[in-house]
Amino acid sequence: DLLAIAHFINQDQALCLFIYMLQLSLTYGVCKESSFALSICSGLLFNLGDLKAAKLFSHFSLSLLGRLDCKEMLPRVYVSLYPGILATVEPSEKVSEKFLHGYEVGMQTGDIFFALYNARVYCTYRFYCGVSLDVLVRDIEVWKQQATEYKQIWHWNAFSFLRQTVLTLINYSGDTSQQLSDFLSEGIDSLNKNIEDKRHRPATVICSFFSCIAYIFCDYDFARVMVETKWDLEKNLSTKFSFAGHGADNFFDSLISIALARKTKEDKWKKYA
C-alpha cells in the first residue's frame, strides 16, 4: 500500500520501496506481494526500453500471481503490466478486457483504489482506441459516481477531466475557439494546483489531454506549451506517463512536432518530428 501511494506522490521513495520489496522476496522467499513488485519491475524496464527483460518479468509476475492464487493482488498487477509491455504484444480488445477484469476483481476483494484505477485506465485506453464517445462518457459517469461514493478524490478528478475531454469532442462544432476555451477553463486550475503541489504524474496526464485536444482544434501554440510542460514534468518522474502503453501520447507528440516544425521551422521540432 505504501508503494502504491508513493508511486503517485514521490517517485524516488517508490523506487526505494520497490527495491526493498524485491530484496525481501529474494531473502525470505516470495509472497503474494512479490507478484506486484515484479510487475512494477516490468514497468520500469519497459520505460527504460528493455522490452525483452520487461516481458520476462511480466511472465514472472503473472506466473506467481497464478501459482499463489493471490486474487487480491490481481488489480495491482494488471494495472502495472497491461499499460506497459503486454499492451505491445496482445490485441487491444484483450488488453481492455484485462483492465475491466481488474476492476471487477478489485471491487470483489475490496481494493477500491486499484479497482477504480483499472476502470480509469480502461476508459483512457478505449478513448484512444476509438470507442464510441457516447458509450464512453456513459461508462465514465458510472465510475465517477463510484469514485464519489468511495471518496476516491484522485480518481474522481481524473474521471472528471477525461469526461470533459470526451464531451468537448462530442459537442464539436465550427466554433472551435470557444470550445477550446471552455475545455481549458475546466482543467487549467487543476493543472496549476497539481504543479504547485508537486503532483507531477497527474499533471503530466492533464498536459497530455490538453495537448491532444489543442492539436485536434489546431491550436498549435498551446499544444506546444503543454508538450513542453509535460516534458519538463517528466524529468521528475522515474517512469513517463503513457496512454495505456500503446503509444498514443507519443503519437500525438509526434503530430504536434510535425505541425510545429512546419510552422516555426525550428530544428528542435524537426528533431522530434
Side-chain angles (χ1 to χ4, degrees):
D1 290 337
L2 286 176
L3 178 59
I5 295 170
H7 180 65
F8 295 102
I9 298 177
N10 189 310
Q11 291 271 301
D12 292 332
Q13 290 182 7
L15 189 58
C16 291
L17 287 171
F18 153 69
I19 293 173
Y20 186 54
M21 287 176 68
L22 285 183
Q23 288 178 333
L24 290 174
S25 296
L26 292 171
T27 303
Y28 300 104
V30 297
C31 61
K32 60 184 181 181
E33 285 81 7
S34 300
S35 60
F36 183 33
L38 289 168
S39 69
I40 293 176
C41 184
S42 174
L44 288 171
L45 290 166
F46 175 74
N47 278 278
L48 291 172
D50 193 341
L51 303 186
K52 184 177 180 181
K55 188 174 181 180
L56 181 63
F57 272 86
S58 73
H59 289 321
F60 288 157
S61 177
L62 291 175
S63 177
L64 191 60
L65 187 70
R67 289 186 180 187
L68 297 182
D69 193 26
C70 40
K71 195 175 183 181
E72 60 270 34
M73 286 293 112
L74 185 145
R76 304 178 181 215
V77 170
Y78 275 20
V79 85
S80 300
L81 291 180
Y82 283 98
I85 184 63
L86 296 185
T88 69
V89 298
E90 296 191 12
S92 298
E93 184 176 351
K94 183 176 180 181
V95 171
S96 63
E97 289 174 357
K98 294 295 185 181
F99 294 130
L100 185 58
H101 182 56
Y103 160 76
E104 293 169 345
V105 173
M107 295 303 292
Q108 292 169 6
T109 59
D111 193 354
I112 305 301
F113 179 86
F114 276 94
L116 290 175
Y117 194 176
N118 274 271
R120 188 171 59 78
V121 177
Y122 173 73
C123 289
T124 304
Y125 194 88
R126 295 175 78 213
F127 173 73
Y128 282 96
C129 285
V131 73
S132 170
L133 295 179
D134 290 327
V135 172
L136 182 58
V137 77
R138 188 165 61 245
D139 291 341
I140 292 171
E141 291 283 4
V142 172
W143 281 314
K144 182 183 173 185
Q145 180 60 35
Q146 279 195 335
T148 301
E149 293 172 1
Y150 289 101
K151 296 180 172 59
Q152 295 289 328
I153 298 175
W154 188 77
H155 289 309
W156 186 90
N157 288 332
F159 278 123
S160 296
F161 198 77
L162 179 57
R163 174 182 174 275
Q164 186 60 32
T165 302
V166 175
L167 288 175
T168 300
L169 295 177
I170 288 176
N171 297 323
Y172 178 85
S173 69
D175 188 8
T176 57
S177 60
Q178 181 60 46
Q179 284 182 281
L180 184 58
S181 176
D182 293 342
F183 172 69
L184 296 180
S185 65
E186 292 286 337
I188 200 68
D189 290 340
S190 178
L191 173 60
N192 290 334
K193 178 65 174 174
N194 278 293
I195 293 176
E196 181 183 336
D197 294 342
K198 296 184 178 180
R199 294 196 294 264
H200 299 123
R201 182 165 294 275
T204 61
V205 176
I206 294 175
C207 286
S208 294
F209 280 119
F210 270 150
S211 61
C212 170
I213 296 299
Y215 174 81
I216 292 173
F217 288 157
C218 299
D219 189 340
Y220 302 133
D221 291 333
F222 187 74
R224 172 180 184 158
V225 172
M226 287 297 99
V227 168
E228 291 178 333
T229 300
K230 183 183 72 170
W231 289 344
D232 286 340
L233 290 168
E234 286 177 342
K235 295 176 183 177
N236 300 291
L237 303 176
S238 59
T239 59
K240 294 181 180 181
F241 170 72
S242 177
F243 282 129
H246 64 314
D249 50 328
N250 291 330
F251 175 68
F252 273 97
D253 284 355
S254 297
L255 291 177
I256 292 168
S257 297
I258 292 171
L260 289 172
R262 296 179 62 184
K263 179 179 179 179
T264 67
K265 311 299 182 184
E266 294 178 10
D267 291 338
K268 169 184 177 179
W269 298 107
K270 293 179 182 179
K271 173 185 173 183
Y272 287 120

